[in-house]
Amino acid sequence: MTPEDLQICREVHAGLTSNDRGTINYLFMDPVDLQHFTDYTSLVARPMDLRTLSENLESGQYATREEFYADAQLIFDNGVTYNKDKKESSFVVGLSKRMMKALERERKKAEKKAGVVGASGGTAIAADEGAKPKAEKKKKIKLSLKRGSSVGDMSTATADDASSTADSSASAPAPKPKIKLKMTMSKESGGGDSSASTTGSKKIKLKVKSSGVAMTPQRRAQCHKILSSLKRRQHNNTQWFLKPFNDPKLIKDYKEKVKDQMDLGTLQSKLEKNKHATVTEFVLDLRRIFSNCLQYNVTINDSFRPVARECLNTAEDLLTFFLAKDAEPTVLYPSLLYCWEDCAKVIDALYNLTNPDDGYQTAYFFMEPVPFYFGGAYPDGYLDKVKEPMDFGTIQQKLITGVYTTVAAFAADCRLVTENCKSWYAGNDESFVAKANRINQFLDSHLNKLMQFDQSVKGVAAKAKVKKRCMTIKKPEKDFLKGIMTELRATTYTDKAAKITEMATVHFEMPVDNALVPDYPNFVDSPMDLHTIDRKIESGVYNTPEDFEYDVSLIFKNCEKYNAPKNNILMLTLGKHTAKAFRKLFSTKMRTLERGGSIPKAPKAPLLPTAANRDAYVGGKKRPLSPPPEEKQAKRVSIKAPLRTASKSVSSSTGKAVPKSGKTPKAGSGKKMSGSTSKLNLDLSAPIPMHLAIASIKESYPNRRRMEDLEEWESECLKFLKTLMKHPWITAERPKYIFHVPVHIIFPEIRHSYSAKIKNPMDLTTAEVKLLNGSYRTADEFVADIALTFANARTFNRDGYEEGEPMSCAYYEASEHLLKYARWLSLESINSSIKDSPNSAVVERGVAAEWKLTTRNKEMARKELEDIVFNEHLERTEPGDRLSWSEQECEKLLKSLRHTSDNKHMGFFVQMNFPPDYTAFIKQPIAWDFCNNKLKDRRYITIGEIVADLRLIFSNALKYNDHGRTVSKISSMAYDSALHMSKKLEAAIDRMLLVVSDRIGRERIDMITSQREHDAKERAEEARLKLNWEKGNPSASVEVKTKLRIVNNRSLHRGRSADFDFPFYDEGDDQEDHVDSLRHAKSLYEKQRKKRAATKALSIAVGIRVLRNLEQRAAAKEWAYRMAYQEHTERKSKEEVLNASSEAMDMDTGDKGKGSYVSAAMSDGDRKQVKMSLSIQQQQKKKRRTMLTSL
């Protein structure tokens, strides 16, 4: 291998192993562990990896770089071969294919850098082309534009009409540097005659070579402003050009007609990737977007053509404003013909011309190049008769891309189209000649007018006007930009998995500290931050809204540049979220400003109703001026949420009042009801609308502070209250239970009875405004008032609850549940005020009217929540059905561990892939996929089981990696990841405990309430039947038997009871007996059905368990038999060896004398044989049999 090829191979290997591809190449870096993947060599004939590939390269084992490429390709082919049929590792196939593409890119990149031809490159192609017959050689027509050092207005010159071009260029006002248009014909591989080459295809290429007009960073920024301004100013029209054309029905036809596709999205991407070397390349790409639209949409009265012209006109104005104006006298790009719109309208009018006989477009066969209509090639002999092919599509493209600089050149090309048609079809097809004459006649009238205008005084004035034309963009006012910055800073971002909400712009406020982030300048050339933008606004630097928009967008582009290579998902997501919010905010503000011509003012804060303007508010909204007093009619104030009717039963059940209402301000302590007054002139003898009650409370505390002015513990208390107010029972406009305002405001008729029982009234709105007013000294005082709100309702409704009054029972039970929920939530939310207090009372569980924020109470609350939730049975559905609510909560717990930002941590715990020695340390291996599949199969019975399994994942990892983390980097990473994810799991469990325990309590109370309502309906039905019977039997005597009913207040489900025994049930009327029997039979059937289902499930479980035990027993017996047989075989072989050796010894010692009397006696053949049995061996055999049986 030559040194040049060796360097190429090294660069390819470096590209494949770079850190940029760390997410896809990590499986191919080292050899496959054959101990772990024992079947690898049976499927893969020749293993290979990137490390072995490098070693082979450096040791000189490759004679050519093609051999190196083959081994590199073998690495990824092996990955596909081994993993394509394995479900658990099928993702490796995708990684292998991506690495194959990376190998091809790196190969081309390295060979292009070295200036050599690849293994499948030009040499092989040249050989193939050389083998073709000469008659198949094709000609290419190359149209090249060569521009000098400075670019002025462009003029064209061809070989056939040089004289006409010279005349037209002489008519220009002043000579300027020209762009020469050369048309040459060449054969692709040389050789061949001209007659053979006329059947080939013909391609027209516009090559613009610019020099001295490079794309600098400043000009690139101006180009970004042009695109953003164009999208905003032509918001509706540019929607058609944002993405590539992808209509599946038309895409093939589109690609045949339009060779150089371009759209705004692709142009933006090219601009961001610095693919424009000159300004001219950007301008031509921008113009090509709209020229392609005009070239493809050629139907009669096509609606897209005016859209493209309007967008192009706006784009040209923006190019002049942002690029050409500041660069004068230097010309950065070729300008369009001053009357290009008139020329385009001529072509539009031509496309609308139809044949008088059939109504089709006359110019249909003149819109595209001739090969388009002949299968991609010119007909035989066409290029011999027609020296310069031309069509109206090409004319339109040259017009929009700025090739034409004179009207004469445009008119000459238009006439050339018809002349070519006549030259080819003369004497062959007179119908085409007739169409060409009709088109020529139409063009003469329009082109002559255009030429006359060009040579007139008006034409000269129009040229001068176009040169001086420049749009005006008003400088934005400081208040307008500051308002956008304020609203942008108010943007929030919520992590969907972690449920954490934060300010979206907090990371972009100040410049990046290079001391903390030393590699930041390597990624970002132009740093920007919100603080710098604020200074620039104050200094009046921004002359256009686009300048401001570019700077703000630059912040988020820099964020993506720096964090994308580092795979910082959180910052990338945050940057994209904030950038999207800014684009929406800025476009909305600018459209409002441009339509109205004035800066939109911030909406005024809504005024609270006062005594002076109370009549002007209805339902919280201002109404028109009222008529004169004599025309006034009494109107009742409408309330959005229906209020319960105040009655005696309601008065015994009401806990608090309407949502977001407040208590009437009190004199002195603010808690007494008697003698209270309000700044609002409210009639306390009638129910007060909710919004007025809220306003009256807030108006009594005028010194409320903003949230950012609160102390840390006050902010936590306010957050706790806001979370509590989102509870389903006390939220929204129609709460189920009312705890927001004082009771007497909504129900004034119970004013005296309520004040007699409740000495310290409290409600949620009063607690909120007192917190904002600074009335609380500690968090315990605030929590005590929240608890007092629900404790008052419980105290007031206790009597009605014992009597069985439905409304009182509902409020009593709801208050008890909300007391428990508020205690749990406060101990979880107000962390800064939790303290150790051994002398404080401890609330172990259940309902408590008050509690302290102590560590012991928090521990007991957590224990109570775990007892409630972990022992709760899941509402198990069938596999494949929609999950129940409890299963959905478990699924949320699982998904909280798979957030995108945690991929690098969870990679160790997702699949059941463990090291070989893992089971030696861990008794129960488990992974996230196992828990997820177990939940999908509905194998979890309680919530506690899935929580225990998830905790076991990380505890196993901590146990296994504890000792190895000091010597192994992988173990250290796994240990740290287990710590991080276990903390996140516990945070997710805390959230789930609150949600699930609240749901369990609410469902329990809702069930009791529904049962109570059902019992009430049954008693009403019994009373109705009794009344009907008495009306039908007025003379019958009814003996009333008094029944004694014992009420157990602690019972959750009250049995149905009746106050009377009705004798008519025993007098032959069996209607009710039949109903009762049916009800009883139905209940028995339901019980039997449930028992059968339970028995079936139990039988299946027992059968499966027995089957597994039998399988294990059979496997154990088989193993024991195999081991016993093996031991027996070994023993027999040893005995045979011993016997053989003893016989050999006997033969050697047979001739020797007997050493003793015993030996002589033993050698006597006539001696009596003695049979011996060893009991010790029998005991050992028995023990072995016992051991085998137990196995």
Side-chain angles (χ1 to χ4, degrees), residues 297-559:
N297 297 282
V298 293
T299 57
I300 299 175
N301 296 323
D302 197 292
S303 58
F304 283 103
R305 298 182 68 83
V307 171
R309 287 201 305 271
E310 184 179 354
C311 290
L312 179 60
N313 197 1
T314 305
E316 288 298 315
D317 290 341
L318 293 172
L319 287 170
T320 303
F321 183 86
F322 286 102
L323 286 175
K325 182 183 68 172
D326 297 335
E328 291 179 355
T330 304
V331 179
L332 299 180
Y333 59 88
S335 59
L336 296 183
L337 187 62
Y338 77 96
C339 59
W340 69 269
E341 291 186 83
D342 296 330
C343 297
K345 289 179 181 178
V346 171
I347 298 178
D348 287 356
L350 175 63
Y351 286 172
N352 294 333
L353 183 66
T354 58
N355 298 325
D357 51 350
D358 55 11
Y360 292 130
Q361 288 174 289
T362 305
Y364 176 77
F365 292 101
F366 303 86
M367 296 177 181
E368 303 294 337
V370 173
F372 177 79
Y373 303 101
F374 288 90
Y378 285 98
D380 295 341
Y382 183 84
L383 295 179
D384 295 336
K385 292 184 179 181
V386 178
K387 302 301 180 182
E388 184 184 353
M390 188 56 63
D391 59 275
F392 289 111
T394 303
I395 292 173
Q396 193 159 240
Q397 188 177 13
K398 292 169 67 176
L399 175 66
I400 301 304
T401 53
V403 176
Y404 295 125
T405 57
T406 62
V407 178
F410 169 76
D413 276 355
C414 289
R415 292 189 173 97
L416 182 61
V417 177
T418 56
E419 294 299 328
N420 290 344
C421 178
K422 293 177 184 178
S423 300
W424 173 249
Y425 285 106
N428 295 327
D429 193 341
E430 294 300 327
S431 62
F432 278 96
V433 175
K435 291 178 181 178
N437 291 330
R438 178 176 171 80
I439 292 173
N440 202 18
Q441 182 181 0
F442 175 84
L443 288 175
D444 284 341
S445 60
H446 289 76
L447 293 178
N448 290 336
K449 293 180 181 179
L450 200 58
M451 292 293 294
Q452 291 175 5
F453 173 77
D454 179 55
Q455 297 174 2
S456 65
V457 178
K458 292 183 178 180
V460 175
K463 294 178 185 177
K465 184 178 180 181
V466 167
K467 291 181 180 180
K468 297 180 181 180
R469 177 182 173 183
C470 184
M471 67 186 306
T472 302
I473 299 180
K474 185 180 178 181
K475 183 176 181 178
E477 297 183 9
K478 294 182 181 180
D479 293 340
F480 175 64
L481 300 182
K482 289 179 181 179
I484 295 178
M485 293 292 288
T486 301
E487 294 192 33
L488 178 62
R489 284 188 168 97
T491 305
T492 59
Y493 170 73
T494 302
D495 190 329
K496 295 183 179 179
K499 304 297 182 185
I500 298 175
T501 302
E502 60 178 335
M503 304 307 295
T505 59
V506 68
H507 300 285
F508 310 108
E509 284 289 345
M510 303 302 293
V512 176
D513 190 352
N514 291 333
L516 299 177
V517 191
D519 61 338
Y520 189 76
N522 300 335
F523 295 88
V524 177
D525 299 328
S526 303
M528 185 56 61
D529 57 274
L530 296 177
H531 184 66
T532 303
I533 293 176
D534 288 337
R535 292 204 315 266
K536 294 175 76 172
I537 292 174
E538 290 294 338
S539 304
V541 175
Y542 296 118
N543 295 319
T544 63
E546 287 75 12
D547 297 338
F548 169 76
E549 180 188 16
Y550 176 78
D551 273 359
V552 178
S553 301
L554 183 61
I555 298 174
F556 311 117
K557 291 179 182 177
N558 290 344
C559 174

Side-chain angles (χ1 to χ4, degrees), residues 699-717:
E699 210 174 45
S700 62
Y701 291 88
N703 297 324
R704 299 189 306 275
R705 297 167 295 169
R706 296 180 301 175
M707 186 174 180
E708 52 267 24
D709 297 332
L710 300 178
E711 297 181 11
E712 181 182 0
W713 69 269
E714 291 177 321
S715 299
E716 291 182 350
C717 290

Side-chain angles (χ1 to χ4, degrees), residues 1012-1191:
R1012 188 185 298 114
E1013 293 175 354
H1014 177 73
D1015 293 345
K1017 290 180 181 179
E1018 286 190 346
R1019 287 195 297 270
E1021 181 66 16
E1022 290 174 357
R1024 186 186 64 81
L1025 292 174
K1026 177 184 176 182
L1027 182 62
N1028 292 338
W1029 183 84
E1030 290 177 348
K1031 289 181 179 179
N1033 302 275
S1035 59
S1037 61
V1038 179
E1039 181 182 359
V1040 178
K1041 298 180 180 180
T1042 305
K1043 286 188 67 176
L1044 204 54
R1045 185 170 60 127
I1046 301 175
V1047 179
N1048 185 5
N1049 292 331
R1050 297 184 180 180
S1051 166
L1052 297 181
H1053 301 279
R1054 293 187 175 85
R1056 189 179 59 161
S1057 58
D1059 293 330
F1060 303 95
D1061 279 344
F1062 302 122
F1064 50 86
Y1065 286 155
D1066 302 327
E1067 294 183 3
D1069 188 359
D1070 61 347
Q1071 179 180 1
E1072 290 300 311
D1073 291 340
H1074 179 65
V1075 173
D1076 289 341
S1077 62
L1078 287 178
R1079 187 183 296 110
H1080 181 66
K1082 183 178 180 181
S1083 64
L1084 288 178
Y1085 172 76
E1086 291 295 330
K1087 290 181 181 178
Q1088 292 173 359
R1089 186 180 64 82
K1090 291 180 180 179
K1091 288 183 179 179
R1092 284 197 299 270
T1095 305
K1096 180 180 179 182
L1098 182 61
S1099 301
I1100 293 174
V1102 171
I1104 293 173
R1105 185 62 180 270
V1106 171
L1107 178 62
R1108 289 177 180 173
N1109 291 340
L1110 291 175
E1111 290 176 350
Q1112 293 175 0
R1113 184 176 181 181
K1117 286 184 176 181
E1118 182 181 359
W1119 177 83
Y1121 175 77
R1122 187 169 62 253
M1123 296 299 295
Y1125 179 78
Q1126 181 179 354
E1127 186 176 357
H1128 174 73
T1129 306
E1130 292 176 354
R1131 190 188 312 113
K1132 293 290 291 182
S1133 62
K1134 289 180 180 179
E1135 290 177 356
E1136 291 175 358
V1137 172
L1138 291 174
N1139 293 334
S1141 60
S1142 62
E1143 290 176 0
M1145 292 176 63
D1146 292 342
M1147 292 177 64
D1148 294 339
T1149 60
D1151 298 334
K1152 297 180 181 179
K1154 305 300 186 291
S1156 65
Y1157 175 78
V1158 178
S1159 299
M1162 293 294 290
S1163 61
D1164 187 4
D1166 296 334
R1167 70 180 178 85
K1168 186 177 179 180
Q1169 298 293 327
V1170 179
K1171 184 177 181 182
M1172 300 178 66
S1173 61
L1174 300 178
S1175 60
I1176 297 177
Q1177 292 182 357
Q1178 291 179 357
Q1179 292 177 358
Q1180 291 177 352
K1181 288 182 179 179
K1182 288 180 179 179
K1183 290 181 179 180
R1184 174 170 292 174
R1185 281 197 298 271
T1186 304
M1187 179 184 67
L1188 295 179
T1189 304
S1190 64
L1191 288 175

Side-chain angles (χ1 to χ4, degrees), residues 620-641:
K621 298 181 180 180
K622 195 170 183 179
R623 67 182 182 188
L625 294 176
S626 301
E630 60 273 8
E631 299 179 7
K632 276 189 177 181
Q633 296 179 359
K635 287 189 177 181
R636 299 189 62 181
V637 180
S638 61
I639 304 174
K640 293 182 179 179

